[in-house]
Coordinates of all heavy atoms in Angstrom, one line a residue:
P1 N -5.8 -18.0 21.0 CA -5.4 -16.6 20.8 C -6.0 -15.7 21.9 O -7.0 -16.0 22.5 CB -6.0 -16.2 19.4 CG -7.1 -17.2 19.2 CD -6.7 -18.4 19.9
A2 N -5.3 -14.6 22.1 CA -5.8 -13.5 23.0 C -6.8 -12.6 22.2 O -6.4 -12.1 21.2 CB -4.7 -12.7 23.6
I3 N -8.0 -12.4 22.7 CA -9.0 -11.6 22.1 C -9.2 -10.4 23.0 O -9.6 -10.5 24.2 CB -10.3 -12.3 21.8 CG1 -10.0 -13.5 20.9 CG2 -11.3 -11.4 21.2 CD1 -11.1 -14.5 20.8
T4 N -9.0 -9.2 22.4 CA -9.2 -8.0 23.2 C -10.1 -7.0 22.4 O -9.9 -6.8 21.2 CB -7.8 -7.3 23.4 OG1 -6.9 -8.2 24.0 CG2 -7.9 -6.1 24.4
L5 N -11.1 -6.4 23.1 CA -11.9 -5.4 22.6 C -11.5 -4.1 23.2 O -11.3 -4.0 24.4 CB -13.4 -5.7 22.8 CG -14.0 -6.9 22.1 CD1 -15.4 -7.0 22.5 CD2 -13.8 -6.9 20.6
L6 N -11.5 -3.0 22.4 CA -11.1 -1.7 22.9 C -12.1 -0.6 22.5 O -12.8 -0.8 21.5 CB -9.7 -1.3 22.2 CG -8.6 -2.2 22.3 CD1 -7.4 -1.7 21.4 CD2 -8.1 -2.4 23.8
D7 N -12.2 0.4 23.4 CA -13.0 1.5 22.9 C -12.2 2.4 22.1 O -11.0 2.1 21.8 CB -13.6 2.3 24.2 CG -12.6 2.9 25.1 OD1 -11.4 3.1 24.7 OD2 -12.9 3.1 26.3
L8 N -12.7 3.5 21.6 CA -11.9 4.4 20.7 C -10.8 5.2 21.4 O -10.0 5.8 20.7 CB -12.9 5.3 19.9 CG -13.8 4.6 18.9 CD1 -14.7 5.5 18.2 CD2 -13.0 3.8 17.9
D9 N -10.8 5.1 22.7 CA -9.6 5.7 23.4 C -8.6 4.7 23.7 O -7.6 4.9 24.5 CB -10.2 6.4 24.7 CG -11.0 7.6 24.5 OD1 -10.7 8.3 23.5 OD2 -12.0 7.8 25.2
H10 N -8.8 3.5 23.2 CA -7.8 2.4 23.3 C -7.8 1.8 24.7 O -6.8 1.1 25.1 CB -6.4 2.7 22.9 CG -6.4 3.3 21.5 ND1 -5.4 4.1 21.0 CD2 -7.4 3.3 20.5 CE1 -5.7 4.5 19.8 NE2 -6.9 4.1 19.5
N11 N -8.9 1.9 25.5 CA -9.1 1.3 26.8 C -9.7 -0.1 26.5 O -10.6 -0.3 25.7 CB -10.0 2.1 27.7 CG -9.4 3.4 28.0 OD1 -8.2 3.5 28.4 ND2 -10.1 4.5 27.8
I12 N -9.3 -1.1 27.3 CA -9.8 -2.5 27.2 C -11.2 -2.6 27.7 O -11.4 -2.2 28.9 CB -8.8 -3.4 27.9 CG1 -7.4 -3.4 27.2 CG2 -9.4 -4.9 27.9 CD1 -6.3 -4.1 28.0
T13 N -12.1 -3.1 26.9 CA -13.5 -3.3 27.3 C -13.8 -4.7 27.5 O -14.8 -5.1 28.2 CB -14.5 -2.6 26.4 OG1 -14.3 -3.2 25.1 CG2 -14.3 -1.1 26.3
Y14 N -13.0 -5.6 26.9 CA -13.1 -7.0 27.1 C -11.8 -7.7 26.8 O -11.1 -7.2 25.9 CB -14.2 -7.6 26.1 CG -14.2 -9.1 26.1 CD1 -14.9 -9.8 27.0 CD2 -13.5 -9.8 25.1 CE1 -14.9 -11.2 27.0 CE2 -13.4 -11.2 25.1 CZ -14.2 -11.9 26.0 OH -14.1 -13.3 26.0
I15 N -11.5 -8.8 27.5 CA -10.3 -9.6 27.2 C -10.6 -11.0 27.6 O -11.3 -11.2 28.6 CB -9.0 -9.0 27.9 CG1 -7.8 -9.7 27.3 CG2 -9.1 -9.1 29.4 CD1 -6.5 -9.0 27.6
N16 N -10.2 -12.0 26.8 CA -10.6 -13.3 27.1 C -9.6 -14.0 28.1 O -9.9 -15.1 28.6 CB -10.8 -14.2 25.8 CG -9.5 -14.4 25.1 OD1 -8.6 -13.6 25.1 ND2 -9.4 -15.6 24.4
R17 N -8.4 -13.5 28.2 CA -7.5 -14.0 29.2 C -6.4 -13.0 29.5 O -6.2 -12.0 28.7 CB -6.8 -15.3 28.7 CG -6.0 -15.1 27.4 CD -5.5 -16.4 27.0 NE -4.7 -16.2 25.7 CZ -4.1 -17.1 25.1 NH1 -4.2 -18.4 25.5 NH2 -3.5 -16.9 24.0
T18 N -5.7 -13.2 30.6 CA -4.6 -12.2 30.9 C -3.4 -13.0 31.3 O -3.3 -14.2 31.3 CB -5.0 -11.4 32.2 OG1 -5.1 -12.2 33.3 CG2 -6.3 -10.6 31.9
V19 N -2.3 -12.3 31.7 CA -1.1 -12.9 32.1 C -1.2 -13.3 33.6 O -2.1 -12.8 34.3 CB 0.1 -11.9 31.9 CG1 0.3 -11.6 30.4 CG2 -0.1 -10.6 32.7
P20 N -0.3 -14.1 34.0 CA -0.4 -14.5 35.5 C -0.3 -13.3 36.4 O 0.3 -12.3 36.1 CB 0.9 -15.4 35.6 CG 1.2 -15.9 34.3 CD 0.7 -14.8 33.3
D21 N -1.0 -13.4 37.5 CA -1.1 -12.3 38.5 C -2.0 -11.2 38.2 O -2.2 -10.3 39.0 CB 0.3 -11.8 38.9 CG 1.3 -12.8 39.4 OD1 0.8 -13.7 40.1 OD2 2.5 -12.7 39.1
L22 N -2.7 -11.3 37.1 CA -3.7 -10.3 36.7 C -5.1 -11.0 36.4 O -5.1 -12.0 35.8 CB -3.3 -9.5 35.5 CG -2.2 -8.5 35.6 CD1 -1.9 -7.9 34.2 CD2 -2.6 -7.4 36.5
T23 N -6.1 -10.4 37.0 CA -7.4 -10.9 36.7 C -8.0 -10.1 35.5 O -7.6 -9.0 35.2 CB -8.4 -10.8 37.9 OG1 -8.6 -9.4 38.2 CG2 -7.8 -11.5 39.1
I24 N -9.1 -10.6 34.9 CA -9.7 -9.8 33.9 C -10.3 -8.5 34.4 O -10.2 -7.5 33.8 CB -10.9 -10.7 33.2 CG1 -10.2 -11.8 32.4 CG2 -11.8 -9.8 32.4 CD1 -11.2 -12.8 31.9
E25 N -10.7 -8.6 35.7 CA -11.3 -7.3 36.3 C -10.2 -6.3 36.5 O -10.4 -5.1 36.5 CB -11.9 -7.7 37.7 CG -13.2 -8.5 37.5 CD -13.0 -9.9 37.2 OE1 -11.9 -10.5 37.4 OE2 -13.9 -10.6 36.8
D26 N -8.9 -6.7 36.7 CA -7.8 -5.8 36.8 C -7.5 -5.1 35.5 O -7.0 -3.9 35.5 CB -6.5 -6.5 37.2 CG -6.5 -7.1 38.6 OD1 -7.2 -6.6 39.4 OD2 -5.8 -8.1 38.8
V27 N -7.9 -5.7 34.4 CA -7.5 -5.2 33.1 C -8.6 -4.3 32.5 O -8.3 -3.3 31.8 CB -7.1 -6.4 32.2 CG1 -6.8 -5.9 30.8 CG2 -5.9 -7.1 32.8
I28 N -9.8 -4.6 32.7 CA -10.9 -3.9 32.0 C -10.9 -2.4 32.4 O -10.7 -2.0 33.6 CB -12.3 -4.5 32.5 CG1 -12.4 -5.9 32.0 CG2 -13.5 -3.6 31.9 CD1 -12.3 -6.2 30.5
G29 N -11.0 -1.5 31.4 CA -10.9 -0.1 31.6 C -9.5 0.5 31.6 O -9.4 1.7 31.6
T30 N -8.5 -0.3 31.4 CA -7.1 0.1 31.4 C -6.7 0.3 29.9 O -7.0 -0.5 29.1 CB -6.2 -0.9 32.1 OG1 -6.8 -1.2 33.4 CG2 -4.8 -0.5 32.2
P31 N -5.9 1.3 29.6 CA -5.4 1.5 28.3 C -4.5 0.3 27.9 O -3.7 -0.3 28.7 CB -4.5 2.7 28.4 CG -4.9 3.5 29.6 CD -5.4 2.4 30.5
I32 N -4.7 -0.2 26.6 CA -3.9 -1.3 26.2 C -2.4 -1.1 26.3 O -1.6 -2.0 26.5 CB -4.3 -1.7 24.7 CG1 -3.7 -3.1 24.3 CG2 -3.9 -0.6 23.7 CD1 -4.2 -3.6 23.0
Y33 N -2.0 0.2 26.2 CA -0.6 0.5 26.3 C 0.1 0.2 27.6 O 1.3 0.0 27.7 CB -0.4 2.0 26.0 CG -1.1 2.4 24.7 CD1 -2.2 3.2 24.7 CD2 -0.6 2.0 23.5 CE1 -2.8 3.6 23.6 CE2 -1.3 2.3 22.3 CZ -2.4 3.1 22.4 OH -3.0 3.4 21.2
D34 N -0.7 0.1 28.7 CA -0.2 -0.3 30.0 C 0.4 -1.7 30.0 O 1.1 -2.1 30.9 CB -1.3 -0.2 31.1 CG -1.6 1.2 31.4 OD1 -1.1 2.1 30.8 OD2 -2.5 1.3 32.3
F35 N 0.0 -2.5 28.9 CA 0.5 -3.9 28.9 C 1.4 -4.2 27.7 O 1.7 -5.3 27.4 CB -0.8 -4.8 28.7 CG -1.7 -4.6 29.9 CD1 -2.8 -3.8 29.7 CD2 -1.5 -5.1 31.1 CE1 -3.7 -3.6 30.8 CE2 -2.3 -4.9 32.2 CZ -3.4 -4.1 32.0
L36 N 1.9 -3.1 27.1 CA 2.9 -3.2 26.0 C 4.2 -2.7 26.4 O 4.3 -1.7 27.1 CB 2.4 -2.4 24.8 CG 1.0 -2.8 24.2 CD1 0.6 -1.9 23.1 CD2 1.1 -4.3 23.6
P37 N 5.3 -3.3 25.9 CA 6.6 -2.7 26.1 C 6.7 -1.4 25.4 O 6.1 -1.1 24.4 CB 7.6 -3.8 25.5 CG 6.8 -4.6 24.6 CD 5.3 -4.5 25.1
D38 N 7.6 -0.5 25.9 CA 7.7 0.8 25.4 C 8.0 0.9 23.9 O 7.4 1.7 23.2 CB 8.9 1.6 26.1 CG 8.5 2.0 27.5 OD1 7.2 2.0 27.8 OD2 9.4 2.2 28.4
E39 N 8.8 -0.1 23.4 CA 9.2 -0.1 22.0 C 8.0 -0.4 21.1 O 8.1 -0.2 19.9 CB 10.4 -1.0 21.7 CG 10.1 -2.4 22.1 CD 10.5 -2.8 23.5 OE1 10.7 -2.0 24.4 OE2 10.6 -4.0 23.7
S40 N 6.9 -0.9 21.6 CA 5.8 -1.4 20.8 C 4.6 -0.4 20.9 O 3.7 -0.4 20.1 CB 5.2 -2.7 21.3 OG 6.2 -3.7 21.1
K41 N 4.6 0.6 21.8 CA 3.5 1.4 22.0 C 3.2 2.3 20.8 O 2.0 2.5 20.4 CB 3.7 2.3 23.3 CG 3.6 1.5 24.6 CD 3.9 2.3 25.8 CE 3.9 1.4 27.0 NZ 4.1 2.1 28.2
T42 N 4.2 3.0 20.3 CA 4.0 3.9 19.1 C 3.4 3.1 17.9 O 2.5 3.6 17.3 CB 5.3 4.6 18.8 OG1 5.8 5.3 19.9 CG2 5.1 5.5 17.6
K43 N 4.0 2.0 17.6 CA 3.5 1.2 16.5 C 2.1 0.8 16.7 O 1.3 0.9 15.8 CB 4.4 -0.1 16.3 CG 4.0 -0.9 15.2 CD 4.9 -2.2 15.1 CE 4.5 -3.1 13.9 NZ 5.4 -4.2 13.8
M44 N 1.7 0.3 17.9 CA 0.3 -0.1 18.2 C -0.6 1.1 18.0 O -1.7 1.0 17.4 CB 0.2 -0.8 19.5 CG -1.2 -1.2 19.8 SD -1.8 -2.5 18.7 CE -1.1 -4.0 19.4
K45 N -0.2 2.2 18.6 CA -1.1 3.4 18.5 C -1.4 3.8 17.1 O -2.5 4.0 16.7 CB -0.5 4.6 19.3 CG -1.4 5.8 19.3 CD -0.8 6.9 20.2 CE -1.8 8.0 20.0 NZ -1.9 9.0 20.8
K46 N -0.3 3.8 16.3 CA -0.5 4.2 14.9 C -1.4 3.2 14.2 O -2.3 3.6 13.4 CB 0.9 4.1 14.2 CG 0.9 4.5 12.7 CD 2.3 4.4 12.2 CE 2.3 3.2 11.2 NZ 3.5 2.9 10.6
N47 N -1.3 1.9 14.4 CA -2.1 0.9 13.8 C -3.6 1.0 14.3 O -4.5 0.8 13.5 CB -1.5 -0.5 13.9 CG -0.3 -0.7 13.1 OD1 -0.4 -0.6 11.8 ND2 0.8 -0.9 13.7
L48 N -3.8 1.2 15.6 CA -5.1 1.3 16.1 C -5.8 2.5 15.5 O -7.0 2.5 15.1 CB -5.1 1.4 17.6 CG -4.7 0.1 18.3 CD1 -4.6 0.4 19.8 CD2 -5.7 -1.0 18.1
E49 N -5.1 3.6 15.4 CA -5.7 4.9 14.8 C -6.0 4.7 13.3 O -7.1 5.1 12.9 CB -4.8 6.0 15.0 CG -4.7 6.5 16.5 CD -3.7 7.6 16.8 OE1 -2.8 7.8 15.9 OE2 -3.7 8.1 17.9
F50 N -5.2 3.9 12.6 CA -5.4 3.7 11.2 C -6.7 2.9 11.0 O -7.6 3.2 10.2 CB -4.3 2.9 10.6 CG -4.5 2.4 9.2 CD1 -4.3 3.3 8.1 CD2 -5.0 1.2 8.9 CE1 -4.6 2.9 6.8 CE2 -5.2 0.7 7.6 CZ -5.0 1.6 6.6
V51 N -6.9 1.8 11.8 CA -8.1 1.0 11.7 C -9.3 1.8 12.1 O -10.4 1.8 11.4 CB -8.0 -0.3 12.6 CG1 -9.3 -1.0 12.6 CG2 -6.9 -1.2 12.0
A52 N -9.3 2.6 13.1 CA -10.4 3.5 13.6 C -10.8 4.5 12.5 O -12.0 4.7 12.3 CB -10.1 4.2 14.9
E53 N -9.8 5.0 11.8 CA -10.1 6.0 10.8 C -10.6 5.4 9.4 O -11.4 6.0 8.8 CB -8.8 6.9 10.5 CG -8.5 7.8 11.7 CD -7.1 8.4 11.5 OE1 -6.5 8.4 10.4 OE2 -6.6 9.0 12.5
T54 N -10.0 4.3 9.1 CA -10.3 3.7 7.7 C -11.4 2.6 7.8 O -11.9 2.2 6.7 CB -9.1 3.1 7.1 OG1 -8.6 2.0 7.9 CG2 -8.0 4.2 7.0
A55 N -11.6 2.0 9.0 CA -12.4 0.8 9.1 C -11.9 -0.4 8.4 O -12.6 -1.3 8.1 CB -13.9 1.1 8.7
E56 N -10.6 -0.4 8.1 CA -10.0 -1.5 7.4 C -9.3 -2.4 8.4 O -8.8 -2.0 9.4 CB -8.9 -1.0 6.4 CG -9.4 -0.2 5.3 CD -8.3 0.2 4.3 OE1 -7.3 -0.4 4.2 OE2 -8.5 1.3 3.7
E57 N -9.3 -3.7 8.1 CA -8.6 -4.7 9.0 C -7.1 -4.7 8.6 O -6.8 -4.6 7.4 CB -9.2 -6.1 8.8 CG -10.7 -6.1 9.3 CD -11.3 -7.5 9.1 OE1 -10.6 -8.4 8.6 OE2 -12.4 -7.7 9.4
I58 N -6.3 -4.9 9.5 CA -4.8 -5.1 9.2 C -4.2 -6.2 10.1 O -4.8 -6.6 11.1 CB -4.0 -3.8 9.5 CG1 -4.1 -3.3 10.9 CG2 -4.5 -2.7 8.5 CD1 -3.2 -2.2 11.3
Q59 N -3.1 -6.6 9.6 CA -2.3 -7.6 10.4 C -0.9 -7.1 10.6 O -0.3 -6.5 9.7 CB -2.2 -8.9 9.5 CG -1.3 -10.0 10.1 CD -1.2 -11.2 9.2 OE1 -2.0 -11.5 8.4 NE2 0.0 -11.8 9.2
I60 N -0.4 -7.2 11.8 CA 0.9 -6.8 12.2 C 1.7 -7.9 13.0 O 1.0 -8.8 13.5 CB 0.9 -5.5 13.0 CG1 0.2 -5.7 14.4 CG2 0.3 -4.3 12.2 CD1 0.3 -4.5 15.3
E61 N 3.0 -7.8 13.0 CA 3.8 -8.6 13.9 C 4.6 -7.7 14.8 O 5.1 -6.6 14.4 CB 4.7 -9.5 13.1 CG 4.0 -10.6 12.3 CD 4.9 -11.6 11.6 OE1 6.2 -11.5 11.8 OE2 4.4 -12.4 10.9
T62 N 4.6 -8.1 16.0 CA 5.3 -7.3 17.0 C 6.2 -8.1 17.9 O 5.9 -9.2 18.3 CB 4.3 -6.6 18.0 OG1 3.3 -5.9 17.2 CG2 4.9 -5.6 18.9
E63 N 7.4 -7.6 18.1 CA 8.4 -8.3 19.0 C 8.2 -7.8 20.4 O 8.1 -6.6 20.6 CB 9.8 -8.0 18.5 CG 10.2 -8.6 17.2 CD 10.5 -10.1 17.2 OE1 10.9 -10.6 18.3 OE2 10.3 -10.8 16.2
Y64 N 8.2 -8.8 21.3 CA 8.2 -8.4 22.7 C 9.3 -9.1 23.5 O 9.8 -10.2 23.1 CB 6.8 -9.0 23.3 CG 5.6 -8.3 22.8 CD1 4.8 -8.9 21.8 CD2 5.2 -7.1 23.3 CE1 3.7 -8.3 21.4 CE2 4.1 -6.5 22.9 CZ 3.3 -7.1 21.9 OH 2.2 -6.4 21.5
R65 N 9.7 -8.5 24.6 CA 10.7 -9.1 25.5 C 9.9 -9.4 26.7 O 9.3 -8.6 27.3 CB 11.8 -8.2 25.8 CG 12.8 -8.1 24.6 CD 14.2 -8.4 25.1 NE 15.0 -8.4 23.9 CZ 15.5 -9.5 23.3 NH1 15.2 -10.7 23.8 NH2 16.2 -9.4 22.2
T66 N 10.0 -10.7 27.2 CA 9.4 -11.1 28.4 C 10.2 -10.5 29.6 O 11.3 -10.0 29.5 CB 9.3 -12.6 28.6 OG1 10.6 -13.1 28.7 CG2 8.6 -13.2 27.4
I67 N 9.6 -10.6 30.8 CA 10.3 -10.2 32.0 C 11.6 -11.0 32.2 O 12.6 -10.4 32.7 CB 9.4 -10.4 33.2 CG1 8.2 -9.5 33.2 CG2 10.1 -10.2 34.5 CD1 7.1 -9.7 34.2
K68 N 11.7 -12.2 31.7 CA 12.9 -13.0 31.8 C 13.8 -12.7 30.6 O 14.9 -13.3 30.5 CB 12.5 -14.5 31.7 CG 11.7 -15.0 32.9 CD 11.3 -16.4 32.7 CE 10.4 -16.9 33.9 NZ 10.0 -18.3 33.8
G69 N 13.5 -11.7 29.8 CA 14.4 -11.3 28.7 C 14.3 -12.1 27.4 O 15.0 -12.0 26.5
E70 N 13.3 -13.0 27.3 CA 13.1 -13.8 26.1 C 12.4 -13.0 25.1 O 11.5 -12.2 25.4 CB 12.2 -15.1 26.5 CG 12.8 -16.0 27.5 CD 11.8 -17.0 28.0 OE1 10.6 -16.8 27.9 OE2 12.2 -18.1 28.5
S71 N 12.8 -13.2 23.8 CA 12.1 -12.5 22.7 C 11.0 -13.3 22.2 O 11.1 -14.5 22.0 CB 13.2 -12.3 21.6 OG 12.5 -11.6 20.5
R72 N 9.8 -12.7 22.0 CA 8.6 -13.4 21.6 C 8.1 -12.5 20.4 O 8.1 -11.3 20.5 CB 7.6 -13.5 22.6 CG 8.0 -14.1 23.9 CD 8.5 -15.5 23.9 NE 7.5 -16.5 23.5 CZ 7.7 -17.7 23.2 NH1 9.0 -18.2 23.3 NH2 6.8 -18.5 22.9
T73 N 7.5 -13.2 19.4 CA 6.9 -12.5 18.3 C 5.4 -12.9 18.3 O 5.0 -14.0 18.4 CB 7.5 -13.0 16.9 OG1 8.9 -12.7 17.0 CG2 6.9 -12.2 15.8
F74 N 4.6 -11.8 18.2 CA 3.1 -12.0 18.2 C 2.6 -11.4 16.9 O 3.0 -10.4 16.4 CB 2.5 -11.2 19.3 CG 2.6 -11.9 20.7 CD1 3.8 -11.8 21.4 CD2 1.6 -12.7 21.1 CE1 3.9 -12.4 22.6 CE2 1.7 -13.4 22.3 CZ 2.9 -13.2 23.1
Q75 N 1.7 -12.2 16.3 CA 0.9 -11.8 15.1 C -0.4 -11.3 15.6 O -1.1 -12.0 16.4 CB 0.7 -13.0 14.2 CG 0.0 -12.7 13.0 CD -0.2 -13.9 12.1 OE1 -0.7 -14.9 12.7 NE2 0.2 -13.9 10.9
S76 N -0.8 -10.1 15.2 CA -2.0 -9.5 15.7 C -2.9 -9.1 14.5 O -2.4 -8.5 13.5 CB -1.8 -8.3 16.6 OG -1.1 -8.6 17.7
F77 N -4.2 -9.4 14.6 CA -5.1 -8.9 13.6 C -5.9 -7.8 14.3 O -6.5 -8.0 15.4 CB -6.1 -10.0 13.1 CG -5.3 -11.1 12.4 CD1 -4.8 -12.2 13.1 CD2 -5.1 -11.1 11.0 CE1 -4.1 -13.2 12.4 CE2 -4.4 -12.1 10.4 CZ -3.9 -13.1 11.1
I78 N -6.0 -6.6 13.7 CA -6.7 -5.5 14.3 C -7.8 -5.2 13.3 O -7.6 -5.0 12.1 CB -5.8 -4.3 14.5 CG1 -4.6 -4.6 15.3 CG2 -6.6 -3.1 15.1 CD1 -3.5 -3.5 15.4
G79 N -9.0 -5.1 13.9 CA -10.2 -4.8 13.1 C -11.2 -3.8 13.7 O -11.1 -3.6 15.0
P80 N -12.0 -3.2 13.0 CA -13.0 -2.3 13.5 C -14.2 -3.0 14.1 O -14.6 -4.1 13.7 CB -13.5 -1.5 12.3 CG -13.3 -2.4 11.2 CD -12.2 -3.3 11.5
V81 N -14.9 -2.4 15.1 CA -16.2 -2.9 15.6 C -17.1 -1.8 15.1 O -17.0 -0.6 15.5 CB -16.2 -3.0 17.1 CG1 -17.6 -3.3 17.6 CG2 -15.2 -4.0 17.6
N82 N -18.1 -2.2 14.3 CA -19.0 -1.2 13.6 C -20.4 -1.3 14.2 O -20.8 -2.4 14.6 CB -19.0 -1.5 12.1 CG -17.7 -1.3 11.5 OD1 -17.1 -0.2 11.6 ND2 -17.2 -2.3 10.8
S83 N -21.1 -0.2 14.1 CA -22.5 -0.1 14.4 C -23.0 1.0 13.6 O -22.5 2.2 13.6 CB -22.7 0.2 15.9 OG -24.1 0.4 16.2
S84 N -24.1 0.7 12.8 CA -24.7 1.7 11.9 C -23.6 2.4 11.0 O -23.6 3.6 10.8 CB -25.4 2.8 12.7 OG -26.4 2.2 13.5
N85 N -22.7 1.6 10.4 CA -21.7 2.0 9.5 C -20.7 3.0 10.2 O -20.1 3.8 9.5 CB -22.3 2.6 8.2 CG -23.0 1.6 7.4 OD1 -22.6 0.4 7.4 ND2 -24.2 2.0 6.9
K86 N -20.6 2.9 11.4 CA -19.6 3.8 12.2 C -18.8 2.9 13.1 O -19.2 2.0 13.7 CB -20.4 4.8 13.0 CG -19.5 5.8 13.8 CD -20.4 6.8 14.6 CE -19.5 7.6 15.4 NZ -20.2 8.5 16.3
V87 N -17.5 3.2 13.1 CA -16.5 2.5 14.0 C -16.8 2.9 15.4 O -16.7 4.1 15.7 CB -15.1 2.7 13.6 CG1 -14.1 2.0 14.5 CG2 -14.8 2.2 12.1
I88 N -17.1 2.0 16.3 CA -17.4 2.3 17.7 C -16.4 1.7 18.6 O -16.4 1.9 19.8 CB -18.8 1.9 18.1 CG1 -19.0 0.4 17.9 CG2 -19.8 2.7 17.3 CD1 -20.2 -0.1 18.6
G89 N -15.5 0.9 18.1 CA -14.5 0.2 18.9 C -13.5 -0.5 18.0 O -13.6 -0.5 16.8
L90 N -12.6 -1.3 18.6 CA -11.6 -2.0 17.9 C -11.4 -3.4 18.5 O -11.7 -3.6 19.7 CB -10.2 -1.3 18.0 CG -10.2 0.1 17.4 CD1 -9.1 0.9 18.0 CD2 -10.2 0.1 15.9
T91 N -11.0 -4.3 17.7 CA -10.7 -5.7 18.2 C -9.3 -6.0 17.8 O -8.8 -5.7 16.7 CB -11.7 -6.7 17.7 OG1 -11.5 -8.0 18.2 CG2 -11.7 -6.8 16.2
V92 N -8.6 -6.7 18.7 CA -7.2 -7.1 18.5 C -7.2 -8.6 18.9 O -7.5 -9.0 20.0 CB -6.2 -6.3 19.4 CG1 -4.8 -6.8 19.1 CG2 -6.4 -4.9 19.1
V93 N -6.8 -9.4 17.9 CA -6.7 -10.9 18.1 C -5.2 -11.2 17.9 O -4.7 -11.0 16.8 CB -7.6 -11.7 17.2 CG1 -7.4 -13.2 17.4 CG2 -9.1 -11.3 17.4
S94 N -4.6 -11.7 19.0 CA -3.1 -11.9 18.9 C -2.8 -13.3 19.3 O -3.4 -14.0 20.1 CB -2.4 -11.0 19.9 OG -2.7 -9.6 19.6
R95 N -1.7 -13.8 18.6 CA -1.2 -15.1 19.0 C 0.3 -15.1 18.9 O 0.9 -14.4 18.1 CB -1.8 -16.2 18.1 CG -1.4 -16.1 16.6 CD -2.1 -17.2 15.8 NE -1.7 -17.1 14.4 CZ -1.0 -18.0 13.8 NH1 -0.6 -19.0 14.4 NH2 -0.6 -17.8 12.6
D96 N 0.9 -15.9 19.7 CA 2.4 -16.1 19.8 C 2.8 -16.9 18.6 O 2.4 -18.1 18.5 CB 2.8 -16.7 21.1 CG 4.3 -16.7 21.4 OD1 5.1 -16.5 20.4 OD2 4.7 -16.9 22.5
I97 N 3.7 -16.4 17.7 CA 4.2 -17.2 16.6 C 5.7 -17.4 16.7 O 6.4 -17.6 15.7 CB 3.8 -16.5 15.3 CG1 4.4 -15.1 15.2 CG2 2.3 -16.5 15.0 CD1 4.3 -14.5 13.8
S98 N 6.2 -17.3 17.9 CA 7.6 -17.4 18.2 C 8.2 -18.8 17.9 O 9.4 -19.0 17.6 CB 8.0 -17.1 19.6 OG 7.5 -15.8 19.9
I99 N 7.4 -19.8 17.9 CA 7.8 -21.2 17.7 C 8.3 -21.5 16.3 O 7.8 -21.1 15.4 CB 6.7 -22.2 18.2 CG1 6.3 -21.9 19.6 CG2 7.1 -23.6 17.9 CD1 5.1 -22.6 20.0

């Protein structure tokens, strides 16, 4: 799975792997939305804000189109990163379930 940690502004603070042609260093500090198709940005923002506000974990499925036009479905688990009973970040664990 792809593991991503975000700050509360939804910038990537850690990622365990990236897509071809991008290094981890290219991605750190960048908003997660820069790597999402336009049709997924609003849904992801709504879900990230929900987790940040409620500290509840959620699971979502998102459809993506690759550069080659292939449809892929990803299952993502979004959870809070807590410190002293306060949400200080978010974690997103995603996997391709298209198969």
Side-chain angles (χ1 to χ4, degrees):
I3 301 168
T4 308
L5 296 179
L6 306 172
D7 63 22
L8 292 178
D9 292 323
H10 308 159
N11 296 310
I12 297 169
T13 60
Y14 170 84
I15 192 163
N16 69 327
R17 64 180 179 183
T18 66
V19 296
D21 300 325
L22 286 176
T23 67
I24 290 173
E25 292 76 19
D26 292 333
V27 175
I28 300 298
T30 305
I32 193 170
Y33 308 110
D34 287 3
F35 304 100
L36 299 175
D38 288 340
E39 62 270 14
S40 299
K41 292 177 183 182
T42 300
K43 179 180 180 180
M44 180 60 82
K45 181 174 178 157
K46 180 181 111 183
N47 286 299
L48 292 171
E49 289 174 348
F50 173 83
V51 172
E53 291 170 11
T54 65
E56 294 180 28
E57 296 177 2
I58 61 172
Q59 175 185 327
I60 62 171
E61 288 186 10
T62 308
E63 291 285 330
Y64 294 99
R65 288 236 174 253
T66 67
I67 294 172
K68 296 179 182 179
E70 299 168 337
S71 179
R72 309 299 294 174
T73 303
F74 283 83
Q75 178 183 55
S76 297
F77 296 90
I78 304 171
V81 176
N82 297 305
S83 178
S84 302
N85 295 322
K86 182 179 176 185
V87 176
I88 61 166
L90 301 159
T91 182
V92 181
V93 179
S94 301
R95 66 185 182 108
D96 189 342
I97 60 169
S98 303
I99 301 171

